Amino acid sequence: MGLIKKLPVYLEKFPGGGLVTTSLNYVFSQSQASSLWYLLFGTACCAIELMATGASRYDFDRLGMIFRASPRQSDLIIAAGTITKKMTPRLRLLYDQMAEPRYVIAMGGCTVGGGPFYYDSYAVEKGIDHIVPVDVYIPGCPPRPESLLEGCLTLQKKVKKLKMEDWS
Amino acid sequence: MNRDELIKYLQDKFQDKLQLLDTGRAEPFFLIKPEFLVEFCRQIRDDVTLAIDYLCNIGAVDTGERFEVVYNVASVAKRLRFDFKFILDYENPKIDSVQEIWPGANWHEREIWELFGINIRNHNNLKRFLLPDDWDQGNPMRKNWDAPDFKRMPEVK
């Protein structure tokens, strides 16, 4: 598998090469990792950092990450901000509406484990992993755009490792 | 009308039904009797000198032994502002609705009904407001409230 994985890269550099031999796994996981469209799901102040990351200074688009306003078109939820208990059924609904394979990034202390609302709060869900499976946790309050980019690169690595038969 | 004139006007108008509290705040703060609430609100709204036309907020406080319900009112026309409150017993707390005087009171009263469990008489829409739709854990803003996943902040020494 090692050679097959590297083969397309060699062949792309081959002068005049119009033919590529590769594996379906490689093509699918590579293209999937390079176009993780994320759902617009900013519930609190982390969304401001998410917007900053999406804007021109940090430029999410160069990773192929473009926001979508519909769960049907997105591969990824970046849960940016506090999830209250009243919000949990909505988050679960949006997650269920997404087509597989689907991913979740928990951005910020609130979504990782309640954050500043861990104590003395009746309203905040203490970590969104009680509701949806989380792939990458990004701590911070809020995380800087660099952290978010690092988290997305980590998720890309994870996506590239997945095989087609792993998709359920 | 400045602060002192406002205090004097209100005390002359309502005599001993009103008690000025010393809070050190810029706005005067009065203590009234709960049964006098609706009548008081109607009078300060209809008084042409006061013309209290805006109810900023209704808040409730749980001190651990009793409830206090605080009303912040203002007059946009006369540029006045003051607060008043009254004290309620912990057992079976009930207040009268002031939504016929200021319709905006509707949501504020719904909120304190839901979060503190203070019953509102003559309210036309007492139903679930801010808490989740399937909430069954009581009134979370009460001091003695508890739930399985609720953690108090530990004492910091």
Side-chain angles (χ1 to χ4, degrees):
Chain A
M1 283 301 286
L3 183 64
I4 295 256
K5 270 194 176 169
K6 281 179 184 162
L7 204 58
V9 185
Y10 294 142
L11 278 178
E12 276 160 20
K13 288 177 186 164
F14 193 72
L19 190 68
V20 172
T21 315
T22 181
S23 67
L24 260 181
N25 260 338
Y26 182 86
V27 174
F28 270 84
S29 60
Q30 193 75 23
S31 41
Q32 176 121 55
S34 314
S35 64
L36 284 170
W37 290 1
Y38 62 96
L39 180 66
L40 273 180
F41 193 71
T43 42
C45 36
C46 280
I48 304 294
E49 297 297 305
L50 179 63
M51 286 176 231
T53 319
S56 51
R57 188 180 176 100
Y58 293 95
D59 201 9
F60 240 176
D61 288 8
R62 68 201 154 100
L63 307 180
M65 302 188 64
I66 299 167
F67 65 83
R68 309 307 297 171
S70 158
R72 304 283 187 202
Q73 299 171 349
S74 42
D75 311 289
L76 164 69
I77 294 183
I78 300 178
T82 318
I83 303 292
T84 57
K85 282 182 181 152
K86 198 169 183 174
M87 195 71 188
T88 53
R90 281 82 175 173
L91 175 61
R92 182 71 218 185
L93 180 70
L94 287 169
Y95 180 77
D96 287 342
Q97 282 175 341
M98 283 162 66
E100 288 185 347
R102 55 198 171 184
Y103 306 98
V104 177
I105 288 181
M107 178 186 181
C110 301
T111 52
V112 171
F117 306 105
Y118 184 76
Y119 292 115
D120 286 348
S121 173
Y122 60 89
V124 174
E125 190 67 39
K126 317 279 192 294
I128 61 164
D129 43 9
H130 298 162
I131 310 149
V132 291
V134 177
D135 294 282
V136 178
Y137 296 88
I138 308 172
C141 192
R144 280 195 56 86
E146 292 90 335
S147 314
L148 181 57
L149 284 171
E150 174 68 25
C152 294
L153 291 173
T154 313
L155 181 65
Q156 284 195 353
K157 274 185 205 156
K158 179 174 179 175
V159 174
K160 280 175 192 170
K161 270 186 215 158
L162 289 181
K163 300 195 178 81
M164 280 175 74
E165 57 262 30
D166 295 339
W167 301 353
S168 54
Chain B
M1 195 185 282
N2 64 23
R3 183 193 146 100
D4 295 334
E5 287 166 353
L6 174 63
I7 293 172
K8 189 165 184 311
Y9 185 85
L10 280 166
Q11 279 174 337
D12 287 350
K13 188 172 167 69
F14 295 104
Q15 305 289 335
D16 56 344
K17 288 172 179 167
L18 206 62
Q19 183 191 337
L20 180 66
L21 299 173
D22 181 23
T23 56
R25 287 156 44 104
E27 293 93 26
F29 206 136
F30 297 98
L31 183 71
I32 65 166
K33 294 259 185 303
E35 56 272 15
F36 183 49
L37 170 71
V38 177
E39 184 54 34
F40 178 71
C41 292
R42 197 184 304 282
Q43 286 194 28
I44 57 175
R45 186 197 60 179
D46 293 343
D47 189 300
V48 284
T49 320
L50 290 170
I52 301 294
D53 48 14
Y54 179 46
L55 174 70
C56 310
N57 189 30
I58 304 177
V61 183
D62 182 357
T63 62
E65 293 122 31
R66 62 189 195 187
F67 287 118
E68 290 173 2
V69 185
V70 186
Y71 291 69
N72 312 117
V73 292
S75 167
V76 179
K78 303 282 178 186
R79 306 180 72 176
L80 300 173
R81 221 182 150 93
F82 71 94
D83 312 326
F84 57 92
K85 72 173 180 183
F86 54 81
I87 290 165
L88 277 180
D89 282 340
Y90 218 69
E91 302 300 321
N92 195 17
K94 259 195 189 134
I95 63 172
D96 291 305
S97 173
V98 293
Q99 62 167 333
E100 54 185 286
I101 298 150
W102 299 295
N106 192 303
W107 277 18
H108 296 301
E109 286 169 349
R110 242 172 107 184
E111 188 183 346
I112 65 171
W113 168 78
E114 182 176 45
L115 296 179
F116 286 91
I118 297 175
N119 280 315
I120 318 286
R121 274 188 228 111
N122 304 326
H123 193 283
N124 64 0
N125 194 23
L126 274 188
K127 58 182 187 190
R128 184 64 65 228
F129 187 36
L130 296 172
L131 293 172
D133 300 330
D134 55 348
W135 183 264
D136 56 355
Q137 295 182 319
N139 311 106
M141 293 295 273
R142 286 199 179 193
K143 277 272 190 277
N144 57 6
W145 182 80
D146 205 4
D149 63 339
F150 180 68
K151 291 184 186 68
R152 293 239 175 249
M153 179 75 90
E155 288 281 323
V156 181
K157 296 195 177 80

